[in-house]
Amino acid sequence: MVKKSLSKIYMVLIFLFLYLPIAVLIVLSFNNSISRVHWGGFTLDWYRELFQSETIMSAFYTTLSITLISALVSTIIGTMAAIGISAMRKKGKAIMLGATNIPLLNADIVTGISLMLLFVRFTNLGMSTVLLAHITFNIPYVILNVMPKLNGLPQHTYEAALDLGATPAYAFYKIVWPDILPGVFSGFLMAMTMSLDDFSITYFTKGAGINTLSTMIYTQLRKGILPEMYALSTILFLIALLLLLLINYRSLEHPARHRKERK
Amino acid sequence: MSKRKRRLFAGPYMVWIIGFTVLPILMILYYAFTNADGSFTLSYLAGIGDPVHLKALLLSLRLAVECTVICLILSYPLAMILHGLNIKKQSFVVFIFVLPMWMNFMLRILAWQMLLANNGIINHLLNLLGLHSVRILNTPTAVVFGMVYDFLPFMILPIYNSMIRIRKDVIEAAKDLGANDRIVFFKIIVPMTMSGVISGITMVFVPALTSFVVSDLLGGGKVLLIGNVIEQSFMQGSEWNLGSGLSIVLMIFVIASMAFMNSHSKETEGTAVW
């Protein structure tokens, strides 16, 4: 069928469009030449030098800690917020969800600048201000992921558990938690992705002393990117690919088992 | 636990909203409406009238519209194709489009810079095929290209999400009643995916309007968008008041476009991307 093969070609073209630059970066990470346009043979040197480069490793640790801490804190605050918001009356709910939309829909550059203006008034810009900024834009993603799970919860099971003598904490742990856990988890992943990929907000809220990978690349743009950066991004990309495949594979293969485990 | 007690869980978040969402906006308003002595002025807001700034704003609007339209044209058929594949695990589709984000976005745009360069890979391929080479780097076209690349997933996912919610029996019922493919498409699929389209448009238009990095990388300093003007007024000069004033103008456009979208979508709930 013509239509079918046309749609296949179309899909391949879109995926090529999305993944071509990634392929280029991976190839460059093995290129034995500092030039970006010439292939100088295969090498693993950049991977070796990467771990010796103090600037890159320190930017990497900064990025990693900001990503993990901000994702963790925003998951905790966001999950609690979602539980609280779901118990609110209509009006309160609307206000809270409206406020949640602000950092989500506002322009990154405006969010970054407005936070910077606030931070410089009270403190010096540095790692902690970046963290606060990241938590701020991450919480909405967690709430968006947890809210639908809470809304889909059967209404009276929790109350039934209380009537049968469970403590609120026990009832929550046994009844609400297993159902919202996938939402909490995907919220955490989403927050990590957003935090890792962010440039604009970090750029405005970081002090002079610290760099994340994104801001370091930005400063390198004019002088030329260190090839070690390609190596590092390749490693990060492959780790993400593996992790996400693993998660997908697990839930693909054993949806039934997961249900059973919970009981 | 009563509902009243459960509401308390939102407490920390409320404090957070006040501290890090409301206060920063008040700060930017303060800077936009006061001058160096702290007295009220509208001159920074009027700074948008400066020909350079106005030109940047108009160019941003033009490129953002182009980017949004192209994303929509590319995404809609793709969402239909993906929907037709009947992938059981929808999270896998999301995964394919989110995965590229794990490669630093600036490096990905930089890779496009290499691919699109006058002596880059794409031109080599075009020459091999006997075609003319393209010279788009450092033009607005390249900026639109980069934005489309960066924001395409934000258009595809909401449309795909709204499409998989259409129940098969609705379409079958329409066909039983004599509707052909064209009618099914215009009377059922399009109206029922409108909420996804609208949230896709918002998710693409606003970032495209306000971006400054893509134009920096692919425009080669020759394409000045309003985002670049604001960024420069903060990071290169220290005209914070002017930068804040221009940010407020930008925010007005963001709010206006969101209000426009909201008025065109009946239900906003459940149209989140993920």
Side-chain angles (χ1 to χ4, degrees):
Chain A
M1 260 170 86
V2 186
K3 204 176 152 195
K4 212 162 194 180
S5 47
L6 264 180
S7 60
K8 273 225 177 85
I9 294 171
Y10 184 69
M11 222 162 53
V12 169
L13 282 177
I14 295 269
F15 288 138
L16 206 65
F17 176 56
L18 286 173
Y19 283 92
L20 191 63
I22 292 174
V24 170
L25 294 169
I26 294 176
V27 169
L28 280 176
S29 76
F30 296 111
N31 184 12
N32 193 4
S33 156
I34 203 119
S35 153
R36 290 198 243 135
V37 277
H38 293 289
W39 177 249
F42 181 88
T43 180
L44 288 173
D45 283 356
W46 305 127
Y47 288 86
R48 229 168 283 137
E49 277 165 40
L50 162 68
F51 295 100
Q52 268 127 44
S53 163
E54 240 170 71
T55 39
I56 292 183
M57 284 327 267
S58 95
F60 174 62
Y61 288 131
T62 312
T63 309
L64 201 66
S65 18
I66 288 170
T67 302
L68 284 176
I69 298 172
S70 72
L72 199 69
V73 175
S74 50
T75 304
I76 295 168
I77 298 178
T79 306
M80 283 171 60
I83 292 169
I85 292 170
S86 71
M88 283 178 185
R89 272 184 288 263
K90 212 173 175 186
K91 204 172 165 194
K93 211 182 245 182
I95 293 172
M96 291 298 278
L97 290 180
T100 303
N101 272 332
I102 294 175
L104 209 59
L105 297 176
N106 203 352
D108 275 1
I109 184 171
V110 177
T111 307
I113 286 170
S114 62
L115 282 165
M116 178 189 83
L117 291 175
L118 176 78
F119 290 149
V120 291
R121 187 135 284 221
F122 298 104
T123 168
N124 291 323
L125 296 181
M127 171 109 170
S128 53
T129 51
V130 178
L131 257 178
L132 288 173
H134 276 232
I135 295 168
T136 306
F137 75 73
N138 275 339
I139 294 175
Y141 288 103
V142 177
I143 294 180
L144 276 188
N145 275 289
V146 179
M147 271 318 258
K149 301 279 173 200
L150 279 167
N151 290 338
L153 230 49
Q155 289 262 311
H156 303 293
T157 340
Y158 174 77
E159 278 145 35
L162 294 186
D163 289 345
L164 292 169
T167 61
Y170 187 77
F172 173 82
Y173 177 68
K174 277 287 175 188
I175 292 174
V176 180
W177 184 243
D179 274 333
I180 65 169
L181 187 60
V184 174
F185 188 66
S186 57
F188 178 77
L189 269 186
M190 206 63 238
M192 264 181 66
T193 312
M194 287 303 158
S195 181
L196 193 70
D197 202 45
D198 175 70
F199 165 73
S200 312
I201 294 170
T202 315
Y203 177 62
F204 286 108
T205 52
K206 84 184 181 69
I210 68 156
N211 257 327
T212 63
L213 290 173
S214 298
T215 60
M216 195 171 79
I217 292 167
Y218 191 70
T219 51
Q220 281 180 8
L221 283 175
R222 307 229 161 11
K223 297 177 276 178
I225 302 279
L226 301 173
E228 291 94 322
M229 284 310 307
Y230 306 132
L232 180 60
S233 330
T234 303
I235 296 175
L236 285 179
F237 179 77
L238 292 180
I239 291 174
L241 177 68
L242 270 176
L243 274 179
L244 294 177
L245 274 181
L246 212 72
I247 294 163
N248 262 288
Y249 178 77
R250 251 173 68 107
S251 45
L252 263 177
E253 290 297 298
H254 310 289
R257 203 188 69 196
H258 275 259
R259 281 212 78 82
K260 258 186 214 149
E261 272 173 359
R262 292 213 312 250
K263 285 179 186 163
Chain B
M1 210 173 347
S2 68
K3 279 203 163 183
R4 184 175 302 233
K5 266 195 200 150
R6 256 205 293 164
R7 268 176 234 151
L8 291 179
F9 278 100
Y13 181 49
M14 274 188 214
V15 175
W16 202 280
I17 290 178
I18 292 165
F20 298 110
T21 301
V22 178
L23 258 184
I25 291 175
L26 293 180
M27 288 301 292
I28 213 168
L29 284 170
Y30 173 78
Y31 272 93
F33 287 107
T34 55
N35 59 21
D37 325 321
S39 52
F40 179 81
T41 174
L42 282 174
S43 62
Y44 295 113
L45 217 56
I48 193 64
D50 180 301
V52 178
H53 302 159
L54 201 61
K55 203 179 144 210
L57 179 67
L58 291 176
L59 183 64
S60 303
L61 283 167
R62 199 191 92 200
L63 299 192
V65 169
E66 285 177 13
C67 167
T68 311
V69 170
I70 295 172
C71 279
L72 186 59
I73 293 172
L74 289 178
S75 301
Y76 209 89
L78 187 72
M80 287 187 70
I81 294 169
L82 287 171
H83 178 52
L85 289 180
N86 273 324
I87 301 165
K88 292 236 170 49
K89 198 70 193 166
Q90 282 128 21
S91 65
F92 190 72
V93 175
V94 177
F95 160 75
I96 293 170
F97 292 104
V98 175
L99 185 64
M101 284 187 208
W102 281 73
M103 197 81 156
N104 186 282
F105 110 94
M106 233 173 299
L107 286 179
R108 280 182 286 136
I109 297 290
L110 198 74
W112 275 120
Q113 201 185 50
M114 301 170 207
L115 286 165
L116 294 173
N118 289 343
N119 56 354
I121 301 167
I122 288 188
N123 276 336
H124 275 295
L125 285 178
L126 286 176
N127 289 337
L128 276 181
L129 293 170
L131 296 166
H132 275 292
S133 35
V134 287
R135 293 184 179 274
I136 69 165
L137 202 61
N138 301 342
T139 64
T141 314
V143 177
V144 174
F145 187 94
M147 286 178 180
V148 169
Y149 171 76
D150 203 19
F151 304 135
L152 192 62
F154 297 100
M155 184 67 90
I156 293 174
L157 292 175
I159 296 180
Y160 174 71
N161 274 345
S162 61
M163 214 168 269
I164 52 178
R165 280 202 216 112
I166 303 177
R167 285 173 40 199
K168 285 250 151 63
D169 34 4
V170 176
I171 292 172
E172 273 159 29
K175 284 195 171 156
D176 286 347
L177 293 169
N180 58 26
D181 283 347
R182 233 182 75 119
I183 294 179
V184 167
F185 179 74
F186 284 109
K187 294 272 175 186
I188 295 178
I189 300 181
V190 170
M192 289 187 86
T193 50
M194 225 41 207
S195 64
V197 169
I198 285 179
S199 71
I201 291 177
T202 328
M203 306 270 314
V204 172
F205 182 74
V206 172
L209 181 67
T210 59
S211 102
F212 66 96
V213 185
V214 178
S215 47
D216 225 17
L217 286 171
L218 296 179
K222 288 182 194 131
V223 182
L224 195 70
L225 299 185
I226 187 71
N228 299 93
V229 176
I230 294 174
E231 187 257 338
Q232 283 165 13
S233 62
F234 276 96
M235 301 312 254
Q236 288 171 17
S238 42
E239 299 171 275
W240 287 18
N241 301 83
L242 177 66
S244 301
L246 297 178
S247 300
I248 296 295
V249 175
L250 195 58
M251 249 165 102
I252 292 169
F253 274 91
V254 172
I255 293 167
S257 56
M258 275 175 348
F260 177 77
M261 301 304 165
N262 270 333
S263 68
H264 282 73
S265 74
K266 278 168 228 144
E267 36 137 16
T268 45
E269 249 180 290
T271 50
V273 210
W274 284 285

